[in-house]
Amino acid sequence: MAARTTVLVVTVFALLVGLSGCGSDSSRQEGDSAPARVRATPDGLTLDGKPWWPVGFNAYQLGTDWSVNVGCGAEVDLDDYFAALPPGALTRFNLYSSFALDKHTGLLNFEPLDRVFEAAGRHEQLVLPVLAGGSGDCEDGRFKERDFYVDGWRSKATPVAPSRDHLTYAKWTETAVSRWRDEPSVVGWELIGEPEPGICGKSCDWQRRVCPADAPAVLRSFFDRAGAHLRSFDDSRPIFSGLVGGDQCGIAGDGYLEVGRSDGIDVLDFHDYSSTTDPNPEPQGSDLSARIDQARRLGKPLVVNEIGVEAGSCLSLGTRARRVDAAMSRRREAGAAGALLWSFVPDPRTSECTYDIGPHDPAWDVVRARVSRFEG
């Protein structure tokens, strides 16, 4: 699920070449990277050669630093967050190019994102960076339509002032993967969170978007090419699909199977929600058991990278914790290869009905117990 608060970011970037600290080690060949700690197998994931069932949180706003970028949501005390996690937990977060834009200068500034990896490293934690989002939330606010997946990811970008240079999604992938590929905390990469190659008409609301007939082929081709592009800078870490898993544009029915065959996908995804206010919060047409069966046919693991249960004004935090604990058990028994909760925030809206999980939420106890139980 994209971040609930959309932050419109004016995507203004400076010339990459020549900026201090922007390049990777020139003595290394493209694609050469440190050995991967995580492997994707038909039976699930392994960490350092041992079976691993990842448990943890989504924490999309870790790169927010109001002194540097516009960010997305509140700032997080990174040391407090990572120190509170048990060893072996996993955090999925937004490694978007928008977080690398200095709002004062219009230049690239990697410091806020560097600090995420530095804090994860200090506390020996694990992270799954997401390179962009399909909805445009926490980026420029624009839904990524079909044209983006056809060739826009390589050719289109917002002009940079004052140099008028361009930074495409492909260039951001190169920049980010080259910069952070050797971080021991990085378990893999996610190309796009919840990609859908739909076409917006007068509105980009999901009810009004048009899904072209070639959507599965478009999405498959994107993963083929963008995955190969990423592997040219990191040839060892697995690529996660980021797919919602329901009947979204491009993956309905056997579309999920067609897209999942891509060599640019090592790990399939499913996003799972429960709501007290929305009668159908889960992905439209979602069927986790069917998706797990398709993943088995492909010989790839499937992780439930978003489990969300609303709480606050509509449900007690304790009840929510028990529900997510039970949901993790059901997903594991069904054959899923891991599960992450949506979503940690440092400032939970406890007077509202939200998916927010704050620093003192009992859901943390669930994660600690689950990591200990599933370790190895």
Side-chain angles (χ1 to χ4, degrees):
M1 177 174 291
R4 296 304 185 188
T5 301
T6 300
V7 178
L8 300 183
V9 179
V10 180
T11 315
V12 182
F13 291 100
L15 194 64
L16 287 174
V17 178
L19 283 176
S20 175
C22 291
S24 58
D25 186 345
S26 60
S27 66
R28 292 178 26 175
Q29 298 296 314
E30 287 189 354
D32 290 346
S33 51
R37 299 184 62 193
V38 171
R39 300 285 183 183
T41 78
D43 298 321
L45 301 174
T46 64
L47 173 64
D48 297 331
K50 299 179 180 179
W52 181 51
W53 207 84
V55 177
F57 293 105
N58 288 270
Y60 60 87
Q61 62 207 70
L62 294 185
T64 297
D65 183 339
W66 292 330
S67 70
V68 176
N69 56 36
V70 175
C72 186
E75 293 181 346
V76 176
D77 186 310
L78 297 171
D79 281 309
D80 282 355
Y81 171 75
F82 284 117
L85 287 168
L90 178 61
T91 297
R92 178 173 174 255
F93 80 103
N94 292 355
L95 189 71
Y96 294 176
S97 58
S98 54
F99 289 92
L101 172 65
D102 191 312
K103 63 185 179 183
H104 304 291
T105 66
L107 304 179
L108 285 174
N109 186 337
F110 295 109
E111 291 181 4
L113 294 172
D114 283 341
R115 284 195 287 269
V116 176
F117 294 99
E118 290 164 1
R122 280 194 298 275
H123 298 282
E124 300 183 345
Q125 290 295 340
L126 303 171
V127 296
L128 173 60
V130 184
L131 294 169
S135 69
D137 289 355
C138 300
E139 296 179 280
D140 61 1
R142 298 179 180 178
F143 175 79
K144 291 178 176 61
E145 300 184 59
R146 177 184 180 276
D147 287 350
F148 171 86
Y149 300 97
V150 173
D151 60 13
W153 65 278
R154 293 189 296 184
S155 61
K156 297 179 182 179
T158 301
V160 174
S163 69
R164 310 305 292 177
D165 192 24
H166 288 70
L167 181 66
T168 62
Y169 167 84
K171 187 62 177 179
W172 173 245
T173 297
E174 174 187 349
T175 302
V177 174
S178 297
R179 185 177 186 85
W180 294 296
R181 62 185 176 184
D182 288 334
E183 293 290 340
S185 61
V186 176
V187 304
W189 307 97
E190 187 172 311
L191 289 169
I192 298 278
E194 301 191 340
E196 295 183 44
I199 299 174
C200 298
K202 294 181 179 180
S203 169
C204 280
D205 291 343
W206 69 268
Q207 300 96 327
R208 300 183 180 182
R209 293 196 297 264
V210 175
C211 186
D214 65 350
V218 167
L219 204 53
R220 166 69 183 273
S221 177
F222 167 76
F223 277 107
D224 287 346
R225 294 176 296 143
H229 178 67
L230 188 153
R231 291 198 204 282
S232 69
F233 304 103
D234 183 351
D235 58 358
S236 62
R237 285 169 186 75
I239 297 175
F240 290 66
S241 73
L243 299 171
V244 182
D247 63 3
Q248 290 74 32
C249 184
I251 62 169
D254 286 341
Y256 190 89
L257 193 64
E258 178 180 346
V259 174
R261 286 194 179 96
S262 172
D263 289 338
I265 294 175
D266 301 299
V267 184
L268 291 161
D269 282 59
F270 188 88
H271 296 173
D272 188 2
Y273 284 87
S274 175
S275 172
T276 58
T277 58
D278 185 344
N280 189 16
E282 292 189 352
Q284 294 291 315
S286 61
D287 185 341
L288 178 58
S289 61
R291 296 312 190 200
I292 290 175
D293 179 66
Q294 289 173 323
R296 286 172 175 155
R297 290 164 61 187
L298 294 170
K300 299 180 181 183
L302 179 150
V303 293
V304 183
N305 260 345
E306 296 183 16
I307 291 182
V309 178
E310 287 180 316
S313 62
C314 54
L315 189 72
S316 74
L317 300 183
T319 300
R320 194 250 302 274
R322 290 190 290 274
R323 289 188 181 181
V324 297
D325 186 41
M328 284 186 172
S329 292
R330 291 194 300 270
R331 302 318 178 233
R332 183 173 170 85
E333 291 167 2
L340 303 179
L341 302 185
W342 186 276
S343 169
F344 170 80
V345 297
D347 55 345
R349 296 161 290 179
T350 55
S351 62
E352 301 177 34
C353 185
T354 73
Y355 296 103
D356 295 353
I357 299 175
H360 307 294
D361 194 293
W364 278 82
D365 295 330
V366 173
V367 169
R368 294 184 184 107
R370 289 274 166 181
V371 169
S372 175
R373 191 182 313 171
F374 299 152
E375 192 172 19

